Amino acid sequence: MSIVFVPKKLRGKAKINQETIQRLLDENDQLIRCIAEYMQKGRAVECVQYQQILHRNIVYLATIADASPDDVPPSSNTSAPTVNGPTR
């Protein structure tokens, strides 16, 4: 079962950390592999449940990303040093 399925009483209280995100990413990888395998075997009906879980995980990860403060890269507005010719 997906780790996104959290009991209602615990929703909003779970701590989101790198380990949780990595577990979701690993789970998504496995889901994609299962979906591809079932599709190759022509078993599209079985894919639907895995696609729904994958969709839920992706939406959850997107929600986390949207709620996280942006990591601001170093400013690229710094001006390059100018080379001045000899002053007269």
Side-chain angles (χ1 to χ4, degrees):
M1 180 186 286
S2 177
I3 63 173
V4 174
F5 296 104
V6 177
K8 287 185 180 185
K9 64 182 178 180
L10 297 177
R11 288 185 187 167
K13 297 179 183 178
K15 299 206 180 207
I16 306 302
N17 57 30
Q18 188 62 35
E19 180 183 336
T20 303
I21 293 170
Q22 188 59 53
R23 283 183 14 215
L24 275 169
L25 293 172
D26 292 343
E27 181 178 349
N28 288 353
D29 178 63
Q30 186 61 35
L31 287 167
I32 292 168
R33 292 174 191 270
C34 287
I35 291 166
E37 184 178 328
Y38 280 128
M39 290 299 284
Q40 285 179 343
K41 294 178 180 179
R43 297 171 62 186
V45 175
E46 287 88 349
C47 291
V48 174
Q49 64 182 340
Y50 294 118
Q51 288 171 335
Q52 289 172 341
I53 295 169
L54 178 63
H55 178 264
R56 186 174 294 133
N57 286 358
I58 291 170
V59 169
Y60 183 70
L61 287 169
T63 303
I64 292 170
D66 287 345
S68 298
D70 292 334
D71 289 338
V72 181
S75 176
S76 62
N77 293 339
T78 58
S79 58
T82 57
V83 177
N84 294 332
T87 55
R88 294 180 195 211

